Amino acid sequence: MINPEELAKHYTRFRVTERILLTGHSHQAWPDVAFEAQQQAWLDTAEYVDDVWEKAFEQANAVRRGFARLLDDSPDRIALAPNTHELVVRFLSALPLKQRPKLITTDGEFHTIRRQLDRLSEEGIEVVKVVSGPAATLAERLAQEVDDRTAAVLVSAVLYTNAHIVPSPRATLEACERHGAELLVDAYHALNVVPFSLKKEELERAYVVGGGYKYCQLGPGNAFLRFPADTTLRPVFTGWFSEFTDLTKAPGGRLQYGPGPARFAGATYDFTSHYRGAAVFRFFEKWQLTPERLRELSQHQVELLAKAGEFDPSVPQGARGGFLAIPVPRAAGVQLALRKQNIWTDYRGDTLRLGPAPYISDALLANAATELRNVLRTNR
């Protein structure tokens, strides 16, 4: 198993041994190589000026390869953007919503999907929200809602509210294929903590969004949209980088899209994030921090927190993602009390969320669980 004490030596700037960072499901610490890479982006810009974009695109390609490895897919099918919101909007803009004015999702989606679909609903698009629990039957229940009026289904691989894994997404994809709809899977809370192979899951025909802010440790500015090899979607919201390699040609006739990832490209962006992301992906490869090994450690850490804190999780260990969701009264007060003890957590409503990370030792986790028990007793 991964040795957190040894790994922690490479996260000095985030002081991971001086405080207990249990926000790993939201924002994991960055290894020190990320700081060096961020500096290199500045130095390269000063050296190469406008020619730096060639260097930047090399870093972007490395980030594509990193995400592709996690998805068991090809980097040629990975489009990048600063955040998943941009990519979800481009995906939605390419759907035939005039002919198919129905979108299907769940009541457990992250705000990126939830807010945008709520706004589309206000404009007359039919949005069907399927109850997310129990997650074990969610894929089948989504499939039952798909019909010939459906443009797409949007669902998470791991629910951000409670870390419940949504099994058998293939059932939803099969329903989409029968009716000519698309499937978009939000894999953000699975990526790099729950193995997510598109081949093993038989999801090659699905679109997938995710990013590096959470379990990948890439920081902000590193999000992706994975698309099927034969996609013909034409995003209405399309950036000029889609024709970056053909700017010498005069535009005319039907708007053209660039090859591969350029189909979903945006426009000028801060490429510092890709320098950082590429360096962190190399770091993970060097330390052999594969999704399978990270999953083994994560399950051990979450189980340790649950036992040490005497918490009774609502789902079996194998059906849970990378964090522990604990219903507690006055969760905001509990979170604040823990922060005073240098234990960083977060909450949603009356649910406290504890997200360990691979650089946190068992001893620190046990200390955090003890402090949480004490706070809960005082908070009654």
Side-chain angles (χ1 to χ4, degrees):
M1 188 180 291
I2 297 167
N3 185 334
E5 288 87 349
E6 284 299 313
L7 199 60
K9 297 175 182 178
H10 299 274
Y11 294 79
T12 60
R13 292 185 178 276
F14 269 76
R15 299 185 288 114
V16 299
T17 60
E18 300 171 29
R19 49 188 177 169
I20 305 178
L21 300 177
L22 293 181
T23 52
H25 56 289
S26 176
H27 185 186
Q28 291 201 6
W30 311 343
D32 294 337
V33 295
F35 179 78
E36 299 157 10
Q38 196 148 327
Q39 288 181 308
Q40 191 62 51
W42 198 100
L43 294 172
D44 281 358
T45 304
E47 178 67 23
Y48 299 104
V49 197
D50 210 30
D51 291 343
V52 75
W53 284 102
E54 183 177 345
K55 296 281 186 180
F57 291 155
E58 290 175 3
Q59 303 298 326
N61 288 333
V63 173
R64 283 193 184 90
R65 290 192 295 270
F67 283 133
R69 283 194 301 272
L70 298 182
L71 296 170
D72 194 15
D73 198 39
S74 168
D76 295 335
R77 293 194 279 276
I78 303 290
L80 302 176
N83 53 70
T84 56
H85 168 72
E86 290 190 19
L87 294 163
V88 169
V89 167
R90 285 174 211 161
F91 169 79
L92 290 171
S93 77
L95 298 176
L97 292 176
K98 288 183 179 179
Q99 295 77 29
R100 292 171 167 265
K102 180 180 176 181
L103 298 170
I104 302 171
T105 188
T106 83
D107 63 0
E109 299 307 308
F110 186 71
H111 310 301
T112 296
I113 289 175
R114 187 268 308 165
R115 179 180 172 83
Q116 194 60 65
L117 295 196
D118 284 354
R119 183 66 184 91
L120 286 174
S121 178
E122 293 177 352
E123 294 300 314
I125 300 298
E126 180 184 357
V127 176
V128 176
K129 289 190 179 182
V130 176
V131 176
S132 56
T137 62
L138 180 54
E140 290 78 9
R141 290 184 287 115
L142 285 167
Q144 292 172 4
E145 297 289 341
V146 181
D147 57 25
D148 291 342
R149 298 178 65 254
T150 304
V153 178
L154 301 89
V155 61
S156 292
V158 175
L159 299 173
Y160 101 100
T161 50
N162 54 20
H164 293 191
I165 295 173
V166 180
S168 307
R170 176 66 194 173
T172 307
L173 180 60
E174 289 174 351
C176 289
E177 290 176 328
R178 285 195 301 271
H179 292 279
E182 306 291 357
L183 172 64
L184 178 78
V185 179
D186 183 349
Y188 220 135
H189 275 282
L191 203 69
N192 219 30
V193 72
V194 178
F196 189 77
S197 166
L198 293 174
K199 293 178 181 176
K200 291 179 181 177
E201 298 285 349
E202 299 182 86
L203 292 177
E204 287 95 339
R205 292 288 308 129
Y207 295 79
V208 181
V209 289
Y213 192 70
K214 304 180 189 294
Y215 301 98
C216 291
Q217 304 179 7
L218 309 185
N222 288 293
F224 71 87
L225 169 68
R226 182 271 174 190
F227 52 88
D230 59 351
T231 184
T232 58
L233 291 187
R234 302 178 72 247
V236 173
F237 297 111
T238 177
W240 70 275
F241 267 39
S242 186
E243 53 188 38
F244 191 92
T245 57
D246 293 316
L247 292 177
T248 57
K249 296 181 181 179
R254 183 177 170 87
L255 187 70
Q256 300 299 309
Y257 292 79
R263 176 176 291 269
F264 294 93
T268 311
Y269 64 95
D270 182 0
F271 51 75
T272 303
S273 60
H274 290 160
Y275 272 77
R276 188 175 62 240
V280 175
F281 272 132
R282 288 193 297 269
F283 174 81
F284 270 58
E285 281 195 279
K286 178 180 178 180
W287 280 83
Q288 298 180 326
L289 302 176
T290 63
E292 291 74 20
R293 295 186 70 207
L294 290 167
R295 173 65 170 164
E296 179 186 18
L297 177 59
S298 173
Q299 287 195 299
H300 163 76
Q301 291 180 322
V302 172
E303 191 69 12
L304 188 154
L305 276 172
K307 288 182 177 179
E310 300 174 0
F311 308 122
D312 184 20
S314 57
V315 293
Q317 183 180 10
R320 186 172 54 231
F323 66 93
L324 190 63
I326 307 170
V328 299
R330 298 181 294 280
V334 173
Q335 189 248 14
L336 181 60
L338 290 172
R339 178 68 66 86
K340 292 177 179 178
Q341 300 298 321
N342 220 9
I343 300 171
W344 296 53
T345 64
D346 79 340
Y347 68 96
R348 293 291 184 274
D350 288 329
T351 300
L352 187 73
R353 307 199 303 173
L354 309 178
Y359 42 76
I360 302 179
S361 68
D362 285 4
L364 290 177
L365 292 173
N367 289 343
T370 299
E371 289 296 334
L372 177 54
R373 285 202 314 271
N374 295 335
V375 169
L376 291 178
R377 290 193 187 103
T378 305
N379 198 48
R380 284 175 182 165

